Amino acid sequence: MVWNPEQYNLFTDHRLRPATDLLHQVPLNSPSVIYDLGCGTGTVASIISEHWNAAVVTGIDSSPEMLAKAKAAHPSIEWKLGDIADFSPTSKGNLIFSNAALHWLDHHETLFPHLLGQLRPGGVLAVQMPNNFNAPSHQNIYELAQSPKWIDKLGSVVRPAPVHNINWYFDMLAPLAKRVNIWETTYFQVLEGKNAVLEWTRGTALRPFLQALEAEDIASFEAEYGDRLLEAYPRRRDGSTLFPFSRLFIVVQLDDN
Ligand SMILES: C[S@@+](CC[C@H](N)C(=O)[O-])C[C@H]1O[C@@H](n2cnc3c(N)ncnc32)[C@H](O)[C@@H]1O
């Protein structure tokens, strides 16, 4: 999928808050080798790098567009083009951090153990993933894509919800780790704009669907979807939109030996 860094960064504050909430729960004093998987435009990696300024921080992403933005904004950090599924660094990490990226990958039953295998003893895997695939913002995309009008063009783009429930992650990770810290938070995000949720999903969940359409179909799909969003997320009295957004957090620490 082709990412648009400008569209993604429209809501930087809201997108950054869960990353800093996750960072505060990392139980390490001075990790020396840190990877940020799915680093996007690099804002989170740069915060991590400031937080532990003696560490070598490497940001990895499969999008050349996002990495170009990261490189331009933060030239002192190391940026690498790569697929998280193949992540296998020569120097294992003390910390593998991944904010809002692993839900783009399937097969978490093999992905998470694989990532734990890329850590040093005592190392930490810290992950945040959106967990709102049943929310109207997402369900309306899937319903429309599977409706008779769009199914031929978009039916195959719908994926099963990639994120499992908390018990599932805990049961998979607890036998592999010293400690598992796992929680979920719903942020009631106050957004501005005429159809703010549409603007939000244009930067993320809607992208694969728009990319599968011919230019002349995009406006029509967005209009149908946009109308549904205005009904599901009516503007408040002050003109803003409240967009509840659930996120799942997982911090796993390995044994020291
Ligand atoms: C929603 S953005 C999050 C960016 C950043 N972590 C942040 O918090 O601002 C998701 C990023 O994951 C990257 N991504 C998705 N699937 C990937 C994969 N299989 N390998 C590497 N990067 C991937 C995308 O290119 C995108 O930059």
Side-chain angles (χ1 to χ4, degrees), residues 9-65:
N9 280 346
L10 280 182
F11 299 97
T12 301
D13 289 352
H14 291 296
R15 297 202 195 276
L16 221 49
R17 183 173 161 192
T20 50
D21 289 350
L22 178 64
L23 190 57
H24 288 134
Q25 295 301 323
V26 173
L28 295 172
N29 290 326
S30 49
S32 51
V33 178
I34 302 177
Y35 296 99
D36 181 7
L37 302 186
C39 60
T41 54
T43 314
V44 175
S46 78
I47 292 171
I48 293 174
S49 173
E50 275 168 27
H51 190 72
W52 287 297
N53 55 23
V56 177
V57 179
T58 307
I60 291 154
D61 204 285
S62 55
S63 160
E65 295 80 13

Side-chain angles (χ1 to χ4, degrees), residues 2-254:
V2 181
W3 285 78
N4 178 334
E6 281 71 34
Q7 186 75 30
Y8 182 76
N9 280 346
L10 280 182
F11 299 97
T12 301
D13 289 352
H14 291 296
R15 297 202 195 276
L16 221 49
R17 183 173 161 192
T20 50
D21 289 350
L22 178 64
L23 190 57
H24 288 134
Q25 295 301 323
V26 173
L28 295 172
N29 290 326
S30 49
S32 51
V33 178
I34 302 177
Y35 296 99
D36 181 7
L37 302 186
C39 60
T41 54
T43 314
V44 175
S46 78
I47 292 171
I48 293 174
S49 173
E50 275 168 27
H51 190 72
W52 287 297
N53 55 23
V56 177
V57 179
T58 307
I60 291 154
D61 204 285
S62 55
S63 160
E65 295 80 13
M66 295 296 244
L67 277 185
K69 193 94 182 164
K71 273 182 195 159
H74 311 286
S76 61
I77 294 178
E78 195 170 335
W79 307 105
K80 282 195 181 153
L81 188 67
D83 191 326
I84 295 168
D86 304 330
F87 177 65
S88 184
T90 24
S91 179
K92 294 200 176 196
N94 305 102
L95 172 61
I96 297 175
F97 196 91
S98 183
N99 185 59
L102 296 191
H103 61 295
W104 291 105
L105 287 91
D106 296 317
H107 306 302
H108 287 191
E109 69 285 359
T110 50
L111 176 67
F112 276 70
H114 171 72
L115 295 180
L116 290 179
Q118 312 312 314
L119 287 169
R120 299 174 188 205
V124 170
L125 171 66
V127 174
Q128 181 277 119
M129 297 179 287
N131 196 14
N132 59 344
F133 300 94
N134 292 324
S137 51
H138 288 60
Q139 283 301 317
N140 278 304
I141 301 178
Y142 310 149
E143 276 173 30
L144 272 177
Q146 288 169 319
S147 68
K149 179 171 171 191
W150 296 105
I151 192 156
D152 288 346
K153 291 172 179 164
L154 296 179
S156 63
V157 186
V158 178
R159 311 164 54 205
V163 175
H164 299 261
N165 66 41
I166 287 187
N167 291 338
W168 186 91
Y169 285 102
F170 185 84
D171 288 344
M172 170 183 56
L173 296 168
L176 306 175
K178 176 167 81 173
R179 191 179 319 146
V180 179
N181 178 12
I182 186 162
W183 73 100
E184 191 175 34
T185 301
T186 301
Y187 297 87
F188 282 76
Q189 306 178 140
V190 180
L191 307 184
E192 303 299 336
K194 267 192 189 158
N195 196 335
V197 179
L198 173 62
E199 216 54 68
W200 177 285
T201 57
R202 269 184 186 147
T204 51
L206 190 58
R207 291 197 68 72
F209 294 86
L210 298 186
Q211 280 170 23
L213 290 174
E214 302 294 332
E216 65 269 19
D217 286 331
I218 288 180
S220 160
F221 186 81
E222 277 201 342
E224 280 182 60
Y225 171 57
D227 286 347
R228 287 176 173 224
L229 289 179
L230 288 176
E231 230 173 87
Y233 303 98
R235 290 173 82 176
R236 312 314 307 168
R237 281 192 208 140
D238 70 352
S240 66
T241 302
L242 263 189
F243 180 29
F245 201 110
S246 292
R247 295 180 180 274
L248 176 62
F249 297 79
I250 301 172
V251 179
V252 191
Q253 183 162 34
L254 295 185

